Amino acid sequence: MGDCFSLQVSVMIPKVSTWVIALSILKVSIEQVKAARALLRWSQNDLAEASGVSIPTVKRLEATTGDLGGRAATVAAIRSALETAGVEFIPENGGGAGVRLRK
């Protein structure tokens, strides 16, 4: 074979900050999660199973008030499970945040 040479290529990929991802996710409160479960007639176990989040984590998160805390992936999994089941999260718009079932 003829002469061989090595080529090394460097590619710069910008890092996406966690705060940018967090800003793109609509805030959901613990109260909205509980109301959504009630509309679906889901237990904490049902939510854990549908979201892939452990039962102790769901219980720990629901024992607080305010915005749904935890890791961004956990929040996204819980929200996605509820939305897939037909829940719509209503943002604070002067009338208060809430939830409803899609038609």
Side-chain angles (χ1 to χ4, degrees):
M1 296 188 143
D3 293 331
C4 294
F5 65 93
S6 164
L7 176 65
Q8 181 177 357
V9 178
S10 295
V11 178
M12 298 289 289
I13 301 173
K15 182 179 176 186
V16 178
S17 298
T18 304
W19 67 269
V20 172
I21 294 169
L23 287 177
S24 67
I25 299 173
L26 175 68
K27 294 273 187 190
V28 174
S29 71
I30 296 295
E31 292 79 8
Q32 285 176 292
V33 170
K34 290 178 180 180
R37 281 197 310 101
L39 283 173
L40 296 170
R41 295 189 175 116
W42 277 10
S43 66
Q44 289 179 327
N45 292 356
D46 294 329
L47 177 57
E49 185 176 322
S51 66
V53 173
S54 72
I55 295 168
T57 297
V58 170
K59 289 178 184 284
R60 180 178 48 79
L61 291 172
E62 286 196 4
T64 63
T65 59
D67 289 339
L68 180 59
R71 294 188 287 177
T74 302
V75 173
I78 289 172
R79 181 181 176 139
S80 177
L82 293 167
E83 288 177 333
T84 298
V87 171
E88 287 184 359
F89 289 95
I90 303 166
E92 173 65 52
N93 59 4
V99 294
R100 65 177 168 220
L101 291 176
R102 271 192 311 270
K103 288 186 176 184

